[in-house]
């Protein structure tokens, strides 16, 4: 089967999310056959973000296709969120139980591929 990935505008969804993002499901949750729940191409416009949220019973790598932004994960020793500047070619790996967010503070779109798959032994 061959099909086009159609992008749908989405916003919010998580606390602290800003602006909108465009998501195109590469493979649907049903096509992941219980192994995960999302495999998608995301476009995060300038000034937008995917807000701070936690992964429970699943993990999510981001692959940065284009653009740049700030990736937040966990907390540093002083209690602040760890921030890393990311750009095309970087992979952000969110482990089971980890909190994270990504924000586009640049002047151009940030494009990522996101895959959410289950921890071993867990079906969603």
């Amino acid at each position: 089967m061959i099909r086009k990935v159609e992008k749908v505008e989405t916003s919010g969804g998580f606390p602290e999310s800003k602006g909108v993002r465009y998501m195109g499901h590469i493979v649907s949750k049903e096509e992941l056959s219980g192994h995960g729940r999302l495999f998608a191409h995301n476009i995060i416009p300038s000034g937008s973000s995917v807000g701070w949220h936690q992964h429970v019973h699943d993990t999510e790598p981001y692959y940065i296709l284009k653009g740049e932004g700030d990736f937040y994960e966990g907390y540093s020793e002083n209690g602040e969120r760890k921030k890393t500047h990311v750009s095309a070619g970087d992979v952000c790996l969110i482990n089971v139980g980890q909190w994270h967010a990504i924000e586009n503070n640049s002047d151009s779109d940030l494009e990522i591929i996101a895959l959410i798959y289950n921890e071993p032994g867990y079906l969603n």
Side-chain angles (χ1 to χ4, degrees):
M1 168 178 34
I2 308 280
R3 70 170 178 271
K4 297 285 185 197
V5 175
E6 294 187 32
K7 307 281 185 313
V8 175
E9 183 177 322
T10 182
S11 61
F14 302 110
E16 303 175 25
S17 289
K18 294 188 291 188
V20 299
R21 69 182 185 276
Y22 302 90
M23 181 183 297
H25 290 275
I26 297 168
V27 176
S28 71
K29 180 178 179 178
E30 294 73 31
E31 291 167 326
L32 287 168
S33 302
H35 299 287
R37 61 185 169 95
L38 181 125
F39 182 30
H41 177 216
N42 290 271
I43 299 173
I44 304 168
S46 178
S48 294
S49 69
V50 176
W52 190 245
H53 64 283
Q54 183 183 33
H55 281 263
V56 178
H57 299 300
D58 57 30
T59 185
E60 179 181 26
Y62 288 160
Y63 179 69
I64 312 298
L65 292 172
K66 180 181 171 187
E68 57 187 278
D70 291 321
F71 177 71
Y72 298 87
E73 61 176 323
Y75 292 94
S76 64
E77 291 177 10
N78 65 5
E80 293 185 17
R81 294 177 186 167
K82 294 180 194 174
K83 177 173 92 171
T84 304
H85 188 75
V86 294
S87 60
D90 290 341
V91 176
C92 308
L93 181 59
I94 298 95
N95 293 313
V96 175
Q98 186 175 9
W99 288 81
H100 73 101
I102 192 163
E103 185 171 31
N104 182 353
N105 295 318
S106 74
D107 292 332
S108 59
D109 288 345
L110 173 62
E111 292 190 36
I112 65 174
I113 296 290
L115 171 64
I116 299 176
Y117 58 94
N118 300 329
E119 72 175 303
Y122 183 79
L123 296 175
N124 65 6

